[in-house]
């Protein structure tokens, strides 16, 4: 049925033609090529072994942020309970 393709994506393992795609290199340059699947952009992964040590650590820090530290818990030692006596039920 021709209406099936309009409702959802095509359920194919292999596409019959090549599609124009924008390839983005790791240095930011772009290249138009023909790809087997209909995609808009294909980005190449960045090789972290070629980066300087400081930039590599900065990228890892952005990718895996540290967990938030637990704050200090409030204690009731310094509170004068007589000021809140009017809110208690009798």
């Amino acid at each position: 049925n021709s209406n099936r393709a309009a409702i959802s994506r095509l359920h194919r393992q292999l596409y019959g033609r090549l599609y124009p795609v924008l390839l983005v290199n790791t240095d930011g340059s772009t290249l138009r090529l023909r790809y087997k699947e209909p995609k808009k952009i294909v980005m190449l992964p960045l090789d972290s072994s070629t980066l300087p040590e400081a930039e590599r650590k900065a990228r890892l820090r952005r990718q895996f942020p540290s967990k938030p530290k637990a704050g200090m818990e409030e204690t009731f030692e310094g509170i004068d309970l007589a000021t809140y006596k009017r809110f208690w039920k009798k």
Side-chain angles (χ1 to χ4, degrees):
N1 190 355
S2 64
N3 295 328
R4 191 179 105 179
I7 295 172
S8 67
R9 68 178 181 87
L10 295 176
H11 301 280
R12 294 182 185 167
Q13 294 292 330
L14 185 66
Y15 290 90
R17 55 173 267 203
L18 297 177
Y19 297 89
V21 173
L22 184 68
L23 176 73
V24 180
N25 290 322
T26 56
D27 60 352
S29 61
T30 60
L31 178 69
R32 302 284 297 179
L33 55 90
R34 300 186 64 71
Y35 193 64
K36 60 184 177 183
E37 294 180 13
K39 294 185 177 185
K40 288 187 177 184
I41 296 177
V42 175
M43 294 182 68
L44 294 178
L46 181 66
D47 187 15
S48 62
S49 63
T50 60
L51 293 176
E53 188 69 24
E55 188 174 344
R56 187 176 64 81
K57 285 186 178 181
R59 282 183 169 273
L60 284 174
R61 226 178 290 120
R62 277 192 307 246
Q63 188 175 3
F64 302 108
S66 61
K67 295 180 182 176
K69 296 179 182 177
M72 297 287 290
E73 292 186 16
E74 295 183 19
T75 59
F76 296 106
E77 294 173 359
I79 296 176
D80 183 23
L81 296 178
T83 57
Y84 299 102
K85 195 173 187 177
R86 62 176 183 235
F87 298 115
W88 297 341
K89 290 186 178 181
K90 294 184 180 178

